[in-house]
Amino acid sequence: MLKHIEFSRSLRRTLALSLLFSCSVVGAQDPFPSRPITIVSPFSAGGDADLAARAYAAAAGKALGQSVIVVNKTGASGVIGSAQVVAAKPDGYTLLLARTGSQAIMPAIMPTSTKYKWNDYTFIGMLELNPYGCVVSTNSPYKTFADLTEAMKKQGKNLNFGTAGVLTTNDMGPRQLFRMLKLTDQTPTQLPYKGTGEAVTSLLGGQTQFSCGSLGSFLAHIKAGSLRALMVTTAERLSELPQVPTARELGYAEMEQIVGWSAVFAPAQLPNNVKDRLVAAMSTVAEDPQWRAMTAQTGSLPFIRTPEQTREFVQKQYELYRSLGESLNIIDANN
């Protein structure tokens, strides 16, 4: 009798373990995605990050057969939204629209405040590049980039430039330029605003004399004739602005490293089958005519890359801003 009871208990345990294993296998084989996906845009609606996220969401939704929902989680130069994704469950249902400022500049310059590192993610792929350049008002006396750099050398702090905030590409691009021009404490004065729109308004109103940033934010004004682009950092001249010389043509090849970009990241330790599905969808997005049209409308350039290429690109961006921060002695004092 005792042996029978022990055998029954053993059998129940075996059956229970078998059932648990079977459920685990079924769960592991559930197709991804089986419900809507959220992509966090760590910046406000209407900006470069938000537009890139919405263009991706529309195309990826078709490629994955599930809705991709954009959620704007703003604050702390993109850190709040980025940190939310780092802490999310690594199941593929929470993604990040990664940006230059939040994924390269902030981890490089403010590692204590940022808390996450540039590589604390699963890299899915690059999406686009945002051509970068410097602009002035059409009423400005600076007709060429040489005119502007000469004014920087002579007027120093008396020259104002507007940005969408400190530790953004609007801020770090000019810092790189000032370093190349060997300006020290007599650098132009930064006027940080809440967004690029306000920076453009200040430029048009004469409160600032120049601004540098992703040209998509300036493009409508350039086409309307109220702003004049003096330089672009792309390797070749832009087809929409064929008259504007590149940084390399002007003798500032190092400025080519300053560029806006968007990528798709996921939390670390993402299962391989989920990562493979998301990466495969990126190839479909790359060929989507609507995505390409939406990307072109913002003045951006398609730049789909593999996870390995994305990791390499982001690492170089991080190292650029870390080096720039060290040379300017602006790295978080606790690191």
Side-chain angles (χ1 to χ4, degrees):
M1 183 67 177
L2 183 58
K3 289 183 179 180
H4 176 72
I5 292 173
E6 290 177 348
F7 175 78
S8 298
R9 288 175 178 171
S10 176
L11 179 60
R12 284 198 297 270
R13 283 197 298 268
T14 301
L15 290 173
L17 289 171
S18 297
L19 180 60
L20 180 61
F21 176 76
S22 298
C23 289
S24 299
V25 170
V26 170
Q29 292 176 343
D30 282 347
F32 172 85
S34 59
R35 55 187 171 85
I37 295 169
T38 294
I39 182 163
V40 174
S41 172
F43 295 96
S44 60
D48 290 333
D50 178 63
L51 295 175
R54 294 184 188 281
Y56 167 78
K62 290 185 289 183
L64 293 166
Q66 281 288 348
S67 298
V68 179
I69 302 165
V70 178
V71 173
N72 297 95
K73 193 74 174 180
T74 63
S77 299
V79 169
I80 291 177
S82 300
Q84 177 180 317
V85 176
V86 165
K89 184 178 180 181
D91 56 9
Y93 291 101
T94 303
L95 304 176
L96 175 69
L97 194 286
R99 293 288 294 173
T100 322
S102 48
Q103 270 56 67
I105 298 176
M106 288 300 291
I109 306 297
M110 300 291 290
T112 298
S113 301
T114 304
K115 300 187 184 303
Y116 56 83
K117 298 177 181 178
W118 71 270
N119 56 352
D120 279 349
Y121 298 89
T122 297
F123 297 96
I124 303 301
M126 296 293 300
L127 273 177
E128 62 174 20
L129 295 179
N130 310 126
Y132 188 95
C134 296
V135 301
V136 297
S137 166
T138 50
N139 298 322
S140 170
Y142 313 127
K143 306 299 182 185
T144 66
F145 192 66
D147 292 339
L148 178 60
T149 55
E150 190 62 26
M152 291 178 184
K153 295 174 183 177
K154 291 181 178 180
Q155 298 185 43
K157 293 182 177 180
N158 294 323
L159 207 64
N160 297 331
F161 68 101
T163 74
V166 296
L167 300 183
T168 61
T169 53
N170 305 87
D171 170 22
M172 299 304 288
R175 288 181 190 259
Q176 170 79 324
L177 179 61
F178 302 156
R179 180 171 71 164
M180 294 174 67
L181 293 172
K182 293 182 171 53
L183 304 183
T184 54
D185 59 334
Q186 290 301 310
T187 59
T189 301
Q190 177 182 178
L191 299 184
Y193 295 93
K194 293 181 180 179
T196 306
E198 290 186 14
V200 170
T201 299
S202 74
L203 190 57
L204 295 172
Q207 288 81 32
T208 54
Q209 284 70 58
F210 72 95
S211 187
C212 299
S214 295
L215 288 171
S217 304
F218 305 126
L219 199 57
H221 296 281
I222 294 172
K223 290 182 176 180
S226 53
L227 291 180
R228 177 168 57 244
L230 301 181
M231 176 272 284
V232 296
T233 65
T234 47
E236 299 178 354
R237 293 194 182 197
L238 296 174
S239 58
E240 291 188 284
L241 302 171
Q243 77 283 6
V244 181
T246 67
R248 183 173 291 274
E249 289 179 80
L250 295 169
Y252 298 94
E254 286 183 69
M255 287 296 293
E256 286 184 356
Q257 300 174 86
I258 306 296
V259 63
W261 49 266
S262 298
V264 178
F265 291 0
Q269 299 182 336
L270 195 69
N272 288 334
N273 65 308
V274 175
K275 178 182 177 180
D276 291 346
R277 185 77 177 90
L278 291 169
V279 172
M282 292 290 280
S283 298
T284 305
V285 168
E287 301 302 322
D288 187 295
Q290 184 180 7
W291 175 77
R292 298 186 75 87
M294 292 175 71
T295 300
Q297 285 174 7
T298 63
S300 300
L301 304 173
F303 194 66
I304 301 289
R305 293 294 185 272
T306 67
E308 294 74 20
Q309 291 170 328
T310 300
R311 181 187 179 86
E312 182 181 355
F313 179 89
V314 175
Q315 181 174 3
K316 287 181 179 178
Q317 285 281 286
Y318 166 81
E319 290 171 350
L320 163 68
Y321 291 110
R322 184 72 184 185
S323 173
L324 182 56
E326 288 171 349
S327 71
L328 297 172
N329 196 28
I330 59 172
I331 301 293
D332 189 325
N334 293 323
N335 285 268

